[in-house]
C-alpha cells in the first residue's frame, strides 16, 4: 500500500507542467500553441524568453529529482525495507510518466528530457552528469535538442549498467529511455527529412 501511495504521489508531482506554469507567470503564450507544441524548455526558448526557458528546465528537472530523492532518503521511515529498490524504480517511472501525461493539463505533456535528467541525478549524481554531458556535447556539436536527447537516452542505460550492473533501477532507466525515444518519433522523422528545428530557432504558431 505504501508503494502504491508513493507511485500516485510521484505521478502527481510529475504532472506539474512547469512550461505552462512558468509561461503563464511570464505572460507568454501557452507553449502548446506554438513551435513544436511541446510543453518543455526547448519550446519555451522559442518564445524568445531565455529566463522562462531556464526556469522551465529547472522546474521539470527538480520535480524528477525530488520524487526519487524523497523516497530514497526516507526509505527507512517509510518502512520500505527490502522493497526499497523496487519502490524507487517505480517512483522514478511514475514521476516521468506524470510529465508525459499530466492529469492537471488534460494529459498533454512534454517529452520528459529534463524530468528524466532529474531522476537520473537522484538515482546517482555521476549517472546524471554523464548523461547530461552526453546531451551537451551532441547539442553543442549539432544544435539539435532532439538529437541530443535521443543519443543521451540511449547512453543512459549503458552508463547505469557500467556503474551498477543489472539492479532494479536499470529497468526504470530502460523504460524512461524507451519512452523518450518513442516520444521523439516525430523529431526522428524531421531529422531524417532535414526539417528539424535547431536550438534557439524562432517560434512558429502551431498549425
Amino acid at each position: 500500500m505504501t508503494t502504491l501511495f508513493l507511485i500516485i504521489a510521484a505521478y502527481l508531482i510529475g504532472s506539474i507542467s512547469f512550461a505552462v506554469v512558468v509561461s503563464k507567470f511570464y505572460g507568454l503564450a501557452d507553449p502548446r500553441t506554438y513551435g513544436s507544441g511541446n510543453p518543455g524548455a526547448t519550446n519555451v526558448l522559442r518564445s524568445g524568453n531565455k529566463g522562462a526557458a531556464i526556469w522551465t528546465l529547472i522546474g521539470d528537472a527538480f520535480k524528477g529529482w525530488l520524487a526519487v530523492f524523497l523516497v530514497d532518503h526516507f526509505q527507512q521511515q517509510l518502512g520500505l525495507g527490502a522493497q526499497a529498490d523496487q519502490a524507487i524504480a517505480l517512483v522514478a517511472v511514475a514521476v516521468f510518466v506524470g510529465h508525459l501525461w499530466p492529469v492537471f493539463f488534460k494529459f498533454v505533456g512534454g517529452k520528459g528530457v529534463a524530468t528524466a535528467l532529474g531522476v537520473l541525478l537522484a538515482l546517482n549524481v555521476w549517472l546524471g552528469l554523464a548523461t547530461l554531458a552526453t546531451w551537451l556535447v551532441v547539442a553543442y556539436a549539432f544544435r539539435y535538442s532532439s538529437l541530443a536527447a535521443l543519443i543521451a537516452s540511449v547512453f543512459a542505460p549503458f552508463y547505469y549498467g557500467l556503474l551498477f550492473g543489472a539492479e532494479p533501477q536499470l529497468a526504470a532507466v530502460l523504460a524512461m529511455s524507451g519512452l523518450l525515444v518513442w516520444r521523439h518519433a516525430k523529431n526522428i522523422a524531421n531529422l531524417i527529412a532535414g526539417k528539424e528545428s535547431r536550438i534557439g530557432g524562432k517560434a512558429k504558431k502551431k498549425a
Side-chain angles (χ1 to χ4, degrees):
M1 185 62 71
T2 299
T3 300
L4 178 60
F5 169 79
L6 293 173
I7 291 171
I8 294 172
Y11 169 77
L12 294 176
I13 292 173
S15 290
I16 302 171
S17 179
F18 280 91
V20 177
V21 173
V22 171
S23 292
K24 187 173 183 179
F25 177 82
Y26 275 87
L28 304 174
D30 189 319
R32 295 169 294 182
T33 64
Y34 62 80
S36 66
N38 175 61
T42 300
N43 204 38
V44 172
L45 182 60
R46 294 189 178 104
S47 71
N49 193 314
K50 293 182 179 179
I54 290 172
W55 281 114
T56 297
L57 177 65
I58 292 173
D60 283 343
F62 176 73
K63 69 184 181 185
W65 175 86
L66 180 65
V68 176
F69 170 79
L70 289 176
V71 177
D72 187 22
H73 189 72
F74 294 104
Q75 57 181 273
Q76 290 185 346
Q77 292 89 329
L78 292 167
L80 296 177
Q83 303 300 314
D85 287 344
Q86 290 86 344
I88 293 169
L90 290 169
V91 163
V93 174
V95 68
F96 181 73
V97 168
H99 178 80
L100 301 187
W101 296 285
V103 67
F104 303 131
F105 297 92
K106 299 179 180 180
F107 302 101
V108 179
K111 294 174 182 174
V113 177
T115 302
L117 174 61
V119 169
L120 295 178
L121 286 169
L123 290 176
N124 181 271
V125 66
W126 294 113
L127 170 66
L129 290 176
T131 305
L132 174 60
T134 302
W135 188 96
L136 289 172
V137 168
V138 177
Y140 179 79
F142 298 99
R143 304 297 295 172
Y144 288 115
S145 175
S146 57
L147 180 62
L150 286 165
I151 293 177
S153 67
V154 170
F155 272 87
F158 169 75
Y159 293 145
Y160 191 98
L162 190 65
L163 288 168
F164 309 108
E167 292 189 354
Q169 283 87 353
L170 176 58
V173 177
L174 282 167
M176 289 191 300
S177 295
L179 285 168
L180 270 168
V181 172
W182 177 65
R183 293 285 283 189
H184 281 80
K186 184 177 180 180
N187 301 92
I188 294 173
N190 287 338
L191 284 166
I192 294 173
K195 298 178 180 179
E196 183 70 351
S197 299
R198 293 181 181 270
I199 295 174
K202 294 182 179 180
K204 295 182 180 180
K205 189 174 181 180
K206 186 182 177 184

